[in-house]
Each structure stands twice: as C-alpha cells, then as structure tokens.
Amino acid sequence: MSNRAPVPFVDLGAQLSQIRPDIDAAIAGVLERGDYILGASVERFEEEFAAYCQTRFAVGVDSGTSGLELALTACGVGAGHEVITAANTFIATALAISHAGARPVLVDLAPGTFNMDPAAVERAITPDTRAIVPVHLYGYPADMAPLMEIARRHGLAVVEDASQAHGARYGGNRVGTFGDAAAFSLYPAKNLGALGDAGVVVTNDPDIADALRLARNYGSPVKYHHVSKGHNRRLDTLQAAVLRVKLPYLDDWNRRRRANAAAYNRLLGDSEGVLAPPGDGVGAEAVYHLYVIRCEQRDRLQRHLSNEGISTVIHYPVPIHLQPAYADLGHSRGDFPIAEQYAREVLSLPMYPELAEAGIERVAAAIERFPANLRSMSYTVPAVI
Ligand SMILES: *Cc1c(COP(=O)(O)O)cnc(C)c1O
C-alpha cells in the first residue's frame, strides 16, 4: 500500500470477495428450494450458532433490536418495569427496552473500561427493576461475574446485548451464555454480518426459546392458529443461508481483529495525548468490533485524519440520556460524567479483519503527524487497565 492510499473504516467487499462463490451457491440453493420464510437454512443456522456459542437454543430474528425486545418480553419484562443498561450504548439497546414497554434506567461506565459499572447497577435497583441489559460494547465483555451475582441476589433477569461481541469470551465462555438470554445483531458490519438486517437470540431456557419462536411468527405455533399477539420478526432464509457460509470464518476473523488491535497498541503506545483502548480485562478476550482511542482534541484529530485520507467514526457522539428521544427520562448534562467525557473523546479507527498491517502503520503514522500542541490531556480516570 502506498503511504497515500485512503484507509476505509470498514471494507465489506474485502470479506465478500474471499467467500463470494460460496455465498452465490448458498443464495442459489434458497432460490431453488424456494423456502424463503423459516426455511431449512434458518433452522441449520440456529443449530450452528447455538453450537458456536455453546447454548442450547438460538432463535433467528429480523434484527438485533428485535432480538433484544423479544428476549426482554420473553423474560417477563413489560409495562411498569425498569431495566438497567449502560448510558454509553447504541440507542437500539434503550429502544428495545422502551418497545418492550419498560423504562430504561441508565448507569455510567466503570472507570477505565467501556462497560457498565456493576456498583452503579446495584445502586440503580428499585422495587420496579425487572432486568439488567449488560452491553458488550465494541467487543469487550462486560464484567459478567459481579453483574450476575447482583442479578441473582435481587431476582433480576439478565439479557446480554452481544451485538458487537460475537465470539468474545469472559472467564473462558462465550458472551451470550451468562444471562437468561442474549441478543446478537447480524447487521452487515458486525463481526458476523448478513447482507441486510438480521439478528439472533441465544438462550439455555426452553421456555424462553419457545416464547421467542412464537413472538417472531405472529404468535403462531401452527399455521393460522394464534396463541399470543406476536410479531412478524423472522430471520430471512436468504440471510440465514449467507450467515451459514460466514459463521465458520468468525473465529479467524476475530483473531485477525485482535492481531490488528495488538498492532495498533504497539504503534500507538507512546503517542502523547492519544489513549489506546483498554486491554481485554482479566480472564476476558475482546473481539474488537471497534478499535476505540480517546483524545481530548478528538474532533481536530478526526479532521486531521480525514485530511490524510483515513476514515474514522465516533461511537457514539451523544449518550442515551442526552438524546432528544430520551428527554422523557428527565436527565441533564452531568448525570453520567464518564459516558459524557467518553462521548467527547472517543474515536474509532479503521478496523476489519482484512485491514493490512500497512494500513495500520499508515493510520499510526498519520496520528504521529497530529500537531503536538493539540495533544493536551487532563484525564481524571485511569484509561488503561
Ligand atoms: C447494532 C447494535 C444493535 C442493534 O442491532 P440491529 O441489528 O441494527 O437492530 C443493538 N445494540 C448494539 C450495541 C449494537 O451495536
């Protein structure tokens, strides 16, 4: 790669070109069978994804947002309940809680991590609390041991939002295996992505799996017989066929993401005013859906990188409690100081399995050219654990 070649943020084409003949054959197979709705590939993918996660069941749905909502409902969450989640997550986590009829109760991050603070979760519990939704943000497992202990002690359900963490491990087990259920988005750019919207929920509980199968399919156990007011939220057979081709590559793709993160860490380690992301955490293995640095002069750094041909993204510029959509929660600036600080400072660098070392070197070299007088820093929380 020449040192002027643009570096895209993600490159879905690079992944597709490796497996294109198999994708084409999988799509052709569905066209031949014509089983577009809840066809054979859906069932096969569900078996294979459950085996991958080492859960008893997986239920395919039409998006990660749907998966979270239906999983919460299947766990008994509804009107009048509160559900605790992270203030710095993608809006879909909160929307799913709202659409399940409950009120999202937000908590701040544990200092030095990108994940919710278990101590803050415990403080947020009220008599109306029904569930906790830990988010494995950016591919980092949330600290599930204390969260599960708190949930057990207070009799709360746990639905993991694993939408950015397919394959990540905590204490040796895959994320998605800790809570009552876990939802994964299979949006195209996720670590495992379809060619459009898709999602999947995993669980070890046969009652939750049954409830999910009903809820995604008009509440219908048998065609034209309806036992509940379900939805139309199924995983498309075509998407399942594509996902079956991709799933065997997921571990290798995640290894490459981890190798790319290690290369960034090595090259950015001494860069003044630019903080590398946290490490894995004890006993955990992150899968780097995103590689997120922090910089006090984040907006200037982003413009500088853009001028150098390097695409970056901010995940996320506005925490949930400051979004107009959640004005009804009654929060104001200052309520979740770490989430707010991170919203000002985080910057996601190019990250995808096929990103070559030369591309990472080019990003790191461009960061080195960021003017030294803009590298001020006054952090009050430890950034690297
Ligand atoms: C992508 C994502 C979702 C939503 O998934 P969709 O498939 O887009 O509905 C939910 N939570 C998090 C953390 C996500 O990154």
Side-chain angles (χ1 to χ4, degrees):
M1 184 180 298
S2 98
N3 68 351
R4 306 204 62 85
V7 184
F9 182 67
V10 291
D11 185 353
L12 297 181
Q15 182 186 86
L16 185 60
S17 65
Q18 299 163 50
I19 53 174
R20 182 65 190 263
D22 291 343
I23 297 276
D24 286 342
I27 292 172
V30 177
L31 301 191
E32 273 151 35
R33 286 190 298 278
D35 57 348
Y36 302 116
I37 301 296
L38 295 182
S41 298
V42 174
E43 218 170 299
R44 291 290 92 70
F45 173 70
E46 289 173 342
E47 288 162 8
E48 290 159 4
F49 194 74
Y52 177 84
C53 293
Q54 295 190 303
T55 54
R56 287 183 67 193
F57 308 102
V59 180
V61 291
D62 59 347
S63 74
T65 312
S66 271
L68 284 169
E69 178 193 330
L70 300 186
L72 285 164
T73 305
C75 289
V77 170
H81 295 149
E82 294 177 357
V83 175
I84 300 171
T85 196
N88 65 325
T89 184
F90 178 54
I91 190 85
T93 320
L95 293 176
I97 294 167
S98 298
H99 295 319
R103 174 189 169 87
V105 171
L106 305 171
V107 296
D108 214 339
L109 323 189
T113 80
F114 292 130
N115 298 114
M116 72 199 315
D117 181 356
V121 170
E122 179 129 42
R123 286 194 299 273
I125 293 171
T126 76
D128 292 330
T129 307
R130 189 62 182 256
I132 304 172
V133 180
V135 184
H136 305 298
L137 201 70
Y138 310 151
Y140 289 89
D143 197 359
M144 293 309 295
L147 290 171
M148 292 309 299
E149 190 275 320
I150 291 165
R152 261 193 295 275
R153 194 150 33 80
H154 292 270
L156 306 176
V158 173
V159 174
E160 298 170 64
D161 184 347
S163 293
Q164 301 190 358
H166 321 64
R169 289 180 190 275
Y170 177 93
N173 294 315
R174 303 267 194 211
V175 303
T177 58
F178 297 90
D180 299 277
F184 295 78
S185 170
L186 303 167
Y187 173 89
K190 301 292 163 93
N191 292 40
L192 177 67
L195 302 179
D197 280 311
V200 63
V201 181
V202 298
T203 182
N204 288 317
D205 182 329
D207 295 334
I208 291 175
D210 282 344
L212 289 165
R213 286 192 203 100
L214 281 178
R216 72 171 173 184
N217 192 35
Y218 322 113
S220 173
V222 176
K223 206 162 190 179
Y224 306 131
H225 294 268
H226 306 275
V227 299
S228 57
K229 296 186 185 73
H231 309 261
N232 177 353
R233 306 275 189 89
R234 298 168 298 225
L235 173 64
D236 284 332
T237 306
L238 273 169
Q239 299 298 353
V242 166
L243 291 160
R244 289 193 66 214
V245 173
K246 290 189 170 195
L247 182 57
Y249 295 91
L250 178 57
D251 280 339
D252 183 52
W253 289 335
N254 281 339
R255 264 194 297 277
R256 287 164 192 250
R257 287 177 182 273
R258 288 176 56 78
N260 287 345
Y264 270 130
N265 286 343
R266 197 171 63 244
L267 293 165
L268 295 176
D270 301 326
S271 191
E272 199 191 327
V274 173
L275 285 177
D280 280 326
V282 178
E285 197 175 295
V287 290
Y288 293 93
H289 174 58
L290 298 170
Y291 184 87
V292 180
I293 62 169
R294 287 168 50 209
C295 177
E296 227 178 42
Q297 301 290 337
R298 186 268 318 276
D299 293 341
R300 285 177 165 146
L301 176 60
Q302 187 176 36
R303 273 197 299 279
H304 164 79
L305 291 175
S306 170
N307 290 336
E308 297 244 359
I310 291 158
S311 299
T312 60
V313 181
I314 297 165
H315 297 94
Y316 297 94
V318 182
I320 305 297
H321 67 291
L322 300 179
Q323 295 281 1
Y326 278 109
D328 61 338
L329 295 182
H331 285 298
S332 46
R333 208 167 281 280
D335 283 359
F336 303 106
I338 303 177
E340 291 171 30
Q341 181 187 350
Y342 281 27
R344 290 190 301 271
E345 295 179 348
V346 290
L347 187 66
S348 305
L349 301 182
M351 170 55 84
Y352 48 95
E354 301 78 14
L355 177 60
E357 177 107 9
I360 296 168
E361 284 167 6
R362 176 144 149 56
V363 175
I367 289 173
E368 284 313 304
R369 288 192 289 275
F370 184 53
N373 62 336
L374 296 179
R375 289 167 178 264
S376 61
M377 267 228 293
S378 55
Y379 290 109
T380 53
V381 290
V384 178
I385 55 165

